[in-house]
Amino acid sequence: MSELQETLAWTDIPLPEELHNLHPLQQEIMASYVRNVVNRKTDGFEELYQAIGMIVKYIPHFVVIPLMVEHIKPPIAAGVCRKMGVDQATGYANDLPLEYFSEVSRHIDAVMMSELLGKMKRHHAEKFIHYELQHHLTHILDIAEHLEKRMLEVVAKHVTLPEHDDDFLKHPHHDIIEKIRALQ
């Protein structure tokens, strides 16, 4: 993956074809420019996430959860969760509506998500895993690479994998798929 593609990968927006045609030096200049724009536009966000995380500690969940779902976009909620840490974020993860939590989870790295799932109430974690298997298979496979065995068994219980190994020989999730198969 080129530096430009890595820089833009977080957007989930396909790289315009015209940028593929640029000379590597031009791509590097473009990537640097994009990083500078993003850094300028997001300056102070980490401090904001930290402040929100500290403030919501003192507000009851039954007040925070509806406000969060209605007024806070998932990328912002994910930033706050990252700053809260796994223990505090777990309390919110258990109470968030499934679809909203799924959106938030796509903005949290796979390692933290695996830790969250490991600490969530089993019923809520299973519902999330089942939902992700149906709607965002590659996302849950990314997370599954970091899950402890008991949670990986939940994935194995709910996932249906094709029987032919040929389908997954070159798949980027080949190793975790093999682990899941071994648990089935």
Side-chain angles (χ1 to χ4, degrees):
M1 185 181 298
S2 74
E3 185 177 347
L4 180 62
Q5 288 173 317
E6 285 180 28
T7 300
L8 298 177
W10 59 270
T11 65
D12 289 332
I13 299 171
L15 189 63
E17 190 60 40
E18 292 79 14
L19 295 180
H20 286 288
N21 298 332
L22 294 177
H23 183 273
L25 180 60
Q26 291 172 315
Q27 286 185 354
E28 190 174 318
I29 291 168
M30 178 60 75
S32 176
Y33 176 74
V34 169
R35 277 193 302 275
N36 288 334
V37 169
V38 170
N39 288 340
R40 179 169 287 195
K41 287 297 186 181
T42 61
D43 188 34
F45 278 20
E46 294 303 314
E47 293 82 3
L48 175 65
Y49 299 153
Q50 182 74 34
I52 293 171
M54 291 171 52
I55 291 168
V56 297
K57 285 182 189 179
Y58 304 105
I59 303 171
H61 281 223
F62 72 89
V63 174
V64 172
I65 297 297
L67 289 172
M68 183 184 242
V69 172
E70 190 171 331
H71 299 290
I72 298 178
K73 292 187 177 192
I76 304 297
V80 173
C81 286
R82 285 191 305 269
K83 287 297 183 177
M84 285 179 177
V86 173
D87 291 333
Q88 187 181 356
T90 300
Y92 292 97
N94 281 319
D95 295 335
L96 288 172
L98 185 58
E99 294 80 12
Y100 183 81
F101 182 54
S102 172
E103 287 293 320
V104 170
S105 75
R106 287 200 294 282
H107 302 280
I108 298 175
D109 68 78
V111 173
M112 183 175 185
M113 275 306 301
S114 69
E115 292 173 17
L116 271 170
L117 288 172
K119 291 191 174 207
M120 285 174 69
K121 294 176 184 170
R122 185 174 178 91
H123 173 71
H124 293 289
E126 281 190 32
K127 279 177 38 179
F128 173 80
I129 289 169
H130 191 259
Y131 182 85
E132 291 299 297
L133 285 168
Q134 291 177 334
H135 298 94
H136 308 108
L137 181 60
T138 57
H139 180 239
I140 196 65
L141 290 175
D142 289 338
I143 295 168
E145 291 180 24
H146 306 283
L147 288 174
E148 56 191 49
K149 186 179 179 187
R150 75 179 179 86
M151 293 310 295
L152 193 56
E153 288 171 346
V154 173
V155 174
K157 181 172 85 172
H158 292 289
V159 72
T160 304
L161 298 171
E163 292 183 28
H164 302 290
D165 286 337
D166 298 346
D167 296 341
F168 292 109
L169 286 177
K170 294 182 182 179
H171 195 278
H173 296 99
H174 180 267
D175 294 340
I176 193 63
I177 290 170
E178 289 304 316
K179 275 186 179 178
I180 291 170
R181 274 203 175 123
L183 293 172
Q184 290 181 324

